[in-house]
Every structure is written in C-alpha cells, then in structure tokens.
Amino acid sequence: MISVVELLADAAPDALTLAQIVRATGQSRATAHAILTEMADQGWALRHPATGAFGLGPAFVSLAGKAAHADLLGTWGRQVITDLARTLGVPCFLARRLTADTITVAEHCLPTPDSDPVDSRRWFHPGREVRLRPPICREFIAWSAPEVRETWIERAAPASRTRLRLVLDDIRTRGYSIERMSSDHLAMIDALGSLDDVSDALRIRVGDLLSELTVIDYLESELAATTPTEEVGVVTVGAPVFDAAGSVIASVVTCPSTLLTPGELGELAAATIAAAERIGAQLP
C-alpha cells in the first residue's frame, strides 16, 4: 500500500489509471485493485467516475495536513518557546491537540540549560497526555463553537458551570487563560486523566472535587478590581495557537508559578500571546 500512496502523492493533482499503477509498482492487477479499493473505502483514494483513474482522497489529504502541522509545531514551536523561556526567565511548554479531548506536551523548555524543574511542574514533561476535562485546558475550549463549549461545561461540577461560562468568555476576550491552581491539585489532574475505565459516578465525583478545590481562573472584573501594586497568584498563562482555518490546535504556556502585579501579568501574557501568534503564522 505504501508504494501506491507514494505514487499517487507524486502524481498529484493528476490521477493515475489502474494500468499505470500496476506498471509503476510491479504489482499484479488483482493486488493493485484490492489495495486501491481498500484505500477508496477509507477515503485515502478517489476514483474518477468517468475515467476510472485514481487520485488522493480527502482522508489522506487531511492526515497529511495534520502531519504537516505536527512537524511545524515541533520545529518552529521549539525555537519560539526556547526564546520565550529565556526572555521571561520562566519554564514554558507547547501543548498540542491530539484528539477532540486530548492534548500532549509537544515541547518543553527551561530558562537555562541547567535549570532544575521543581517537582510541582512534573506534569508538563514532554509526551505527557492530558484530557481536556473541566476545568483545565480552557484556552483549547474558549474559541470552540457554542455547542462544543456547552458540552464541555456540562461535564463540570454543577456548582462551577456558571463560573466556567463567564471565564471562557473572558479568556476569549483577553486572549489567554490563567491557572491559579496549587501543587496540591496535581494529583487530581492525574486522576482526571486516567478515569476512562471507571464508572461515570466516580469520574464525575473526582471532577467535582477538583472544581471544589480550585478557584477557576480570574474573571476580568476580578483583575480590574486589583490595585497596581496588589499581587495575584499565577501558576501558568496559556495562549492559543490557531491554524489558518481559525481552529485552536495548540497552546503556548508560560509557567511563572509566583505572585504577579497586574502590570507584570499583562507583560507576561502579551509575550505569551505573541509567541503563540508567531507559531500560528507558520502553519498552513
């Protein structure tokens, strides 16, 4: 099958007849026909209704686009977050969306090569997968369609749903999320990410406990009420990375894990947003 895929990719946007594919690959007509039939069934190939020639299908094109995004996120994103970490003097990471409800830590950078990551940041090591369960990873949800947002919110504890709706609106307005969670909650995040094989009742209860233990984000009205010298606790700031279609496919996250004045928070957030925009500008 690989040789057929490569052949169709090289010929694109032109289509190839079955005879051409047989000659180019050296396969028997029956084998080539079976492969192309399976590819067509899976959307990897399209057969022209009039000529019978085969070209690349929409499923393969979509997969190739995702692979291109992943590669660019890995290469371009690595340099961007390295620059960001060294400029701000705080750890940074790039979270990439894997599925509709899963992200992974694609790249991670410390301010200096000899920096020691503290134990409370262990959850963002490269390759770590995290479920998009309320209330975490809000910058991936804030720009979603209303029905997607509401479905996500409905998975949260009932007592936190109103605040989540307000927070998602504010994140979309200001352009970033703020995590103010303490290190004591990390075990709860781990639990949320490993609940696929347990009962719905237990999964909901663990989510409820996390919501009860956490004050979710900051509302703009709360930040506006803060004096210029007053400090707020900021563990992370996350800014979305958009592709050319306007979908959130990744997030740049800075990790100050400290108290910041409104001015300091604004500067850090602006740098985080700018880094996310630099990455998004390179994506097809």
Side-chain angles (χ1 to χ4, degrees), residues 61-93:
V61 173
S62 175
L63 180 63
K66 291 178 181 178
H69 281 170
D71 181 58
L72 287 171
L73 282 170
T75 54
W76 182 252
R78 184 182 304 115
Q79 185 59 55
V80 170
I81 66 165
T82 297
D83 294 344
L84 184 65
R86 292 174 180 172
T87 298
L88 297 178
V90 301
C92 302
F93 68 90

Side-chain angles (χ1 to χ4, degrees), residues 76-207:
W76 182 252
R78 184 182 304 115
Q79 185 59 55
V80 170
I81 66 165
T82 297
D83 294 344
L84 184 65
R86 292 174 180 172
T87 298
L88 297 178
V90 301
C92 302
F93 68 90
L94 178 70
R96 177 167 59 208
R97 197 163 198 164
L98 293 178
T99 66
D101 66 350
T102 308
I103 66 169
T104 187
V105 178
E107 300 293 337
H108 167 237
C109 185
L110 298 171
T112 61
D114 58 351
S115 298
D116 291 324
V118 298
D119 184 62
S120 64
R121 298 180 187 136
R122 67 186 182 275
W123 62 277
F124 64 56
H125 62 79
R128 173 68 188 274
E129 292 188 11
V130 178
R131 293 288 186 180
L132 288 172
R133 301 191 186 280
I136 60 176
C137 304
R138 296 174 296 280
E139 68 272 16
F140 281 89
I141 303 298
W143 282 265
S144 298
E147 60 273 16
V148 175
R149 286 178 34 156
E150 194 59 30
T151 298
W152 184 80
I153 290 170
E154 288 300 317
R155 300 168 74 183
S160 67
R161 292 172 187 171
T162 297
R163 183 173 180 88
L164 271 174
R165 291 185 181 96
L166 296 173
V167 161
L168 290 180
D169 287 341
D170 280 358
I171 290 172
R172 186 160 181 156
T173 299
R174 72 185 176 217
Y176 59 94
S177 68
I178 306 170
E179 198 61 80
R180 52 199 253 177
M181 185 169 47
S182 74
S183 59
D184 292 338
H185 303 138
L186 295 175
M188 300 297 288
I189 287 184
D190 287 333
L192 279 177
S194 60
L195 293 180
D196 291 332
D197 297 324
V198 303
S199 68
D200 289 341
L202 179 56
R203 185 185 303 112
I204 291 171
R205 182 55 184 153
V206 173

